[in-house]
Amino acid sequence: RVLFRSFGTYTTYDVRGAQSWCINWASAEMSGYGYSGGNYGNNDNEDWLISSPVAITSVSDAKMTMIYCDMFFQNNLNQDLTIWASSNYIIGSDPKTATWTQVVVNLNEGNSWSYQTAEIPLTEFVGQTVTFAVKYVSSTSRAGTIEIQSIAIEEGVVESHFITAGCWNLASNWSTGVIPGPEAEVFIDANCQLDIDATVATLNINS
C-alpha cells in the first residue's frame, strides 16, 4: 500500500544559492552548477525538497522507495544529499524553524544517468504524521547533480540485505542497493568471497 507518492505535493525551500530544485523530464532535479556572477561554475547552495505531511499510521512497518540517478558528487553523495524527517514542520517555513531527524541511508553513488532504486526503512516513524525532506548542498569546489524520478512512502519492510560481491562498503554489492545499518538483517552466502578488511555490524551467515 502506497501512503504517499506525488511530486505535485512537494515544495522547495532555498536556504542559500541561486540554483533551485526543478522538474526536468518528469524528475526532480537539483545541481549547484550554473550561472552566477557572470560565469558558469560550481556554486554554494543549500536547497530542500519537502513533502506534504505523511500519515504513517495503521501500518506495522513502512519504507521509502526512491528512484534516482546522480553525477559529479566526487564520492560525496551521502554527504551532499541527505534525507530528513520532521513532525512539526510548517509547510512554506524555513526548515531551521522545525526539529528534524536524519533518516539513516547510504545511497549508492552511481556516477551515471542510469536510474537505480534505494529502499530506506522508516520503522522509527510508524504511528506518526511526518514531513520528509531531501536536503542538497554544494560548494564552489563540488556541485553534484541529482535526479529523483520518484519517492514513495509505502507500507512494508525493507528486504534483508544479501551481499553479492566483494566490498562490504560498496552499496552496489548489496541486494538492496543500500549499505546496511547496524540494525539491518544481513545475510552472506557461504560461497561469496569478501574483502578481508571490510567490516559490518552484526551478521547472520546464510550457508
Side-chain angles (χ1 to χ4, degrees), residues 30-45:
M30 180 62 210
S31 176
Y33 182 88
Y35 188 80
S36 181
N39 297 290
Y40 282 94
N42 297 332
N43 297 283
D44 186 36
N45 277 267

Side-chain angles (χ1 to χ4, degrees), residues 81-140:
L81 192 82
T82 50
I83 299 174
W84 299 81
S86 174
S87 59
N88 66 349
Y89 176 73
I90 298 173
I91 294 295
S93 64
D94 189 330
K96 71 181 181 181
T97 63
T99 301
W100 295 90
T101 299
Q102 186 167 358
V103 179
V104 177
V105 58
N106 285 287
L107 298 175
N108 179 38
E109 188 161 341
N111 284 320
S112 77
W113 299 123
S114 298
Y115 283 98
Q116 54 188 317
T117 300
E119 286 193 327
I120 303 160
L122 300 176
T123 307
E124 63 181 301
F125 305 108
V126 170
Q128 304 177 45
T129 296
V130 181
T131 296
F132 291 98
V134 181
K135 177 185 175 183
Y136 170 96
V137 296
S138 63
S139 66
T140 55

